[in-house]
Amino acid sequence: MKILVVGSGAREHAIILALLSEAHDHEITCTPGNAGIAHDVPCVSANPNDPEAMASMASQLEVDLVVIGPEAPLVAGVADAVREVGIPVFGPDQAAAALEGSKSFAKRIMDAAGVPTGRAHRASTLMEAETILDDFGAPYVVKADGLAAGKGVIVTSERGAAVAHTMHWLAEGDVLIEEFLDGEEVSLFVFADGHDVLPLTPAQDFKRLLDGDAGPNTGGMGAYSPLPWLANQFGSIDAFTRECVETVALPVVRQLESEGTPFVGLLYCGLIVTAAGIRVIEFNARFGDPETQVVLPRMLTPLSDVLYASAVGDLASQPAIEFAPDAVITVVLASENYPDTPVTGREIGGLDDARSVPGVHVTHAATAHDGERLVASGGRVLSVVARGDSFTEARTRAYDALGRIELRGGHYRHDIAAKVAE
Ligand code: AMP
Ligand code: GLY
């Protein structure tokens, strides 16, 4: 198949590596890509958020499928434009991508579909917000309504911090104040073709910047899969996944279909497993980063089959997706000062040495060439992925590899999958 992948992060690199590992021979192009992706497939520089540019590139390349990685092109209407020129697209139209782009739209869909989620109220003034904060009580959860790259949410026990965050985001639009949900977080990816769904296997993401889940929220600092504790709690991973499909994914997809905004692509269910059951904290309209880096390497079913079946409305014909039992973890290497104002332009060294560790590969998130030098070009720079027979083995390998990578000021968490390894 001829496939165009839109995006430039470690998630897109992971998607491309999964496609390249298939027995089918694909001709893959990426736009705009990064230095690591360009090592594996041709990259074309363009603005991925420009619907017309993306549609005309897909036409010129005569691709069979376009796969859209990040949320920004989806919210900008890139999928709509590509569909309009008659090319199958993996990724929802702008209207359905609002499930990620607008927290209040997501809440409305969940209410209409009867999906379990935390109680939430919208506020457009500080006075309204303070009333709701005091009504819910601590810990406080305040969310910006629109896209904020993981930075729009605060979870805090300090009222002052909740109020400051509210004031900051009120300048941009409404905020959503939510009931605090207590429990383990799980990310479940579900393929959707507008009507039917097919689940992948769950992963756990580490959203906070620092060890011990301290520091601010980020886009994600690491992940692992499978989740043995979840299998214990629900009897099996399949039982958990089935419940999520029945109570969350399918009702949402059918609700969107009934409203004339069918969801085609990847429904990312961000869940908290509370004492009272599974609750949705957010939806995303795309694969998660860094969870994709640990889920796709375990996938035994060819990824291209499921991407294409989703894009053309044929998921019902697909068998259940199978996964290897291996333990896979990923640890994100971030630039100095991420997530505030990451320092870019610094040279990255030691990658060949890191890759020589058994079971390790490195996906690139924000890398570029500066002449001969490979440099960091953003906050999350690399995602080191390690697999093993156990989490202890996978962790040893990942951290061995990270120790070999040089990036001045670079930092990462040291406790990814530490609890499951015990
Ligand atoms: P979101 O952008 O909605 O995924 O929120 C980012 C992070 O904040 C989540 O991954 C959770 O760790 C945390 N969070 C969000 N909503 C809640 C909630 N209602 N209760 C507890 N933690 C939450
Ligand atoms: N890892 C969280 C996200 O992709 O939104």
Side-chain angles (χ1 to χ4, degrees):
M1 236 194 295
K2 270 189 163 180
I3 305 172
L4 175 64
V5 177
V6 176
S8 62
R11 161 187 49 218
E12 288 74 33
H13 200 181
I15 290 170
I16 287 166
L17 291 176
L19 293 171
L20 290 173
S21 74
E22 291 179 12
H24 313 296
D25 244 342
H26 300 301
E27 202 177 305
I28 301 167
T29 306
C30 184
T31 183
N34 61 38
I37 295 174
H39 190 266
D40 296 321
V41 298
C43 289
V44 183
S45 87
N47 175 4
N49 302 331
D50 179 342
E52 302 318 316
M54 291 298 106
S56 77
M57 187 184 299
S59 299
Q60 272 165 22
L61 292 169
E62 298 184 327
V63 295
D64 306 297
L65 175 68
V66 174
V67 180
I68 301 175
E71 59 276 23
L74 296 168
V75 171
V78 170
D80 310 56
V82 178
R83 268 188 197 105
E84 212 141 281
V85 296
I87 297 174
V89 195
F90 184 81
D93 280 353
Q94 189 173 44
L99 204 55
E100 168 163 7
S102 161
K103 302 244 184 220
S104 45
F105 177 80
K107 282 286 182 195
R108 184 182 70 69
I109 294 295
M110 281 191 268
D111 281 347
V115 167
T117 181
R119 287 176 303 138
H121 293 293
R122 198 165 144 155
S124 48
T125 67
L126 189 59
M127 219 165 75
E128 269 179 288
E130 289 197 80
T131 309
I132 305 165
L133 285 172
D134 293 334
D135 180 27
F136 282 151
Y140 304 101
V141 181
V142 182
K143 303 185 175 188
D145 195 15
L147 287 184
K151 294 168 201 159
V153 177
I154 194 171
V155 181
T156 178
S157 296
E158 288 164 39
R159 193 176 180 282
V163 169
H165 188 84
T166 304
M167 282 169 69
H168 176 88
W169 286 101
L170 274 177
E172 314 276 325
D174 287 357
V175 299
L176 217 65
I177 295 167
E178 211 170 272
E179 145 190 41
F180 176 77
L181 297 170
D182 194 16
E184 288 286 333
E185 265 185 85
V186 176
S187 307
L188 179 67
F189 300 162
V190 180
F191 289 101
D193 69 1
H195 182 75
D196 286 308
V197 301
L198 195 61
L200 281 149
T201 195
Q204 191 167 48
D205 178 18
F206 291 73
K207 289 230 169 72
R208 300 285 188 133
L209 182 67
L210 305 172
D211 288 2
D213 290 329
N217 267 318
T218 69
M221 296 300 291
Y224 68 92
S225 179
L227 310 181
W229 53 269
L230 190 68
N232 287 340
Q233 206 171 323
F234 282 78
S236 68
I237 290 295
D238 279 349
F240 170 80
T241 304
R242 218 175 305 125
E243 185 171 335
C244 293
V245 165
E246 282 164 15
T247 63
V248 175
L250 200 52
V252 162
V253 167
R254 294 288 162 87
Q255 181 65 31
L256 287 166
E257 182 185 31
S258 78
E259 295 192 10
T261 52
F263 190 99
V264 174
L266 200 288
L267 179 65
Y268 167 131
C269 306
L271 309 165
I272 291 192
V273 182
T274 72
I278 298 166
R279 297 284 180 276
V280 175
I281 40 171
E282 66 163 345
F283 288 116
N284 293 318
R286 40 132 187 116
F287 282 102
D289 189 340
E291 297 97 315
T292 302
Q293 291 90 298
V294 295
V295 169
L296 295 188
R298 295 188 52 226
M299 190 173 169
L300 300 172
T301 310
L303 175 62
S304 64
D305 289 358
V306 199
L307 294 173
Y308 191 77
S310 304
V312 298
D314 191 27
L315 271 185
S317 74
Q318 293 292 307
I321 300 172
E322 296 196 53
F323 294 92
D326 309 36
V328 182
I329 86 161
T330 189
V331 182
V332 171
L333 173 66
S335 291
E336 183 172 348
N337 251 337
Y338 174 79
D340 292 338
T341 46
V343 179
T344 59
R346 286 189 179 154
E347 185 164 8
I348 303 162
L351 283 190
D352 287 336
D353 196 19
R355 268 192 293 259
S356 72
V357 177
V360 167
H361 69 270
V362 178
T363 49
H364 288 230
T367 62
H369 284 295
D370 176 10
E372 292 288 285
R373 302 184 319 145
L374 179 71
V375 299
S377 57
R380 293 192 292 175
V381 181
L382 300 168
S383 205
V384 173
V385 184
R387 69 195 299 156
D389 293 331
S390 66
F391 281 109
T392 304
E393 184 175 52
R395 276 174 50 77
T396 305
R397 290 171 163 180
Y399 286 107
D400 179 2
L402 274 155
R404 299 174 189 222
I405 299 174
E406 296 136 32
L407 171 65
R408 189 155 57 88
H411 57 97
Y412 52 86
R413 277 183 64 158
H414 301 84
D415 62 346
I416 304 301
K419 267 196 259 165
V420 270
E422 273 164 20

